[in-house]
Amino acid sequence: MSAPAPFPALRPAAGARRIGWPMLALAVLALSACGGRMTDDVLRGGVPAATNLPRATGLPPASVRTVARRDFGWRLIYLPHAAPRDAEARAGNSLCALERKRLARIEPIALIDPASDPGARKIDIHCG
């Protein structure tokens, strides 16, 4: 006769084997749902929604107040004293390039409340 093994082989019970795989699958799904997600949302014009628009203008970050995509192109609010001389043309060309279009025109727009952001300038950038 052979001597019994010092430690018997451990085998899961039949019930544990049945629920093992589904529990493992649920754990993997739960862990994969955590963390950052990539977006494939796209703005009008084909610009990925994850684009950093203030950086895309090509202007210094301190000068850019707001960048928004509109039906006609782009609306930009910036501080001219903190931007280079050619800020409007630079921003217009950069933002229109995101849509693979050329800059058509830049129109200055009056601020609704100039006292809310002194020195700011609002422009509409039309891409063609």
Side-chain angles (χ1 to χ4, degrees):
M1 274 208 278
S2 66
F7 297 104
L10 298 176
R11 285 187 289 173
R17 273 185 270 158
R18 254 183 273 138
I19 65 169
W21 284 109
M23 292 301 284
L24 178 64
L26 285 174
V28 168
L29 285 174
L31 290 175
S32 65
C34 298
R37 295 185 180 167
M38 292 298 295
T39 180
D40 51 357
D41 295 339
V42 176
L43 300 174
R44 290 183 300 270
V47 179
T51 304
N52 183 336
L53 294 177
R55 188 169 35 171
T57 62
L59 302 180
S63 68
V64 178
R65 290 289 191 237
T66 304
V67 183
R69 179 68 178 90
R70 303 293 177 141
D71 289 334
F72 56 81
W74 298 90
R75 177 160 289 164
L76 172 66
I77 301 174
Y78 74 104
L79 296 172
H81 67 272
R85 280 189 174 179
D86 63 343
E88 293 181 5
R90 182 183 296 188
N93 286 322
S94 297
L95 292 171
C96 289
L98 288 175
E99 300 179 19
R100 294 177 179 82
K101 294 182 179 178
R102 63 175 182 75
L103 175 62
R105 68 181 185 278
I106 297 174
E107 295 177 356
I109 304 296
L111 290 171
I112 295 171
D113 183 13
S116 67
D117 197 0
R121 181 171 165 88
K122 183 192 295 189
I123 59 172
D124 284 344
I125 299 169
H126 296 263
C127 303

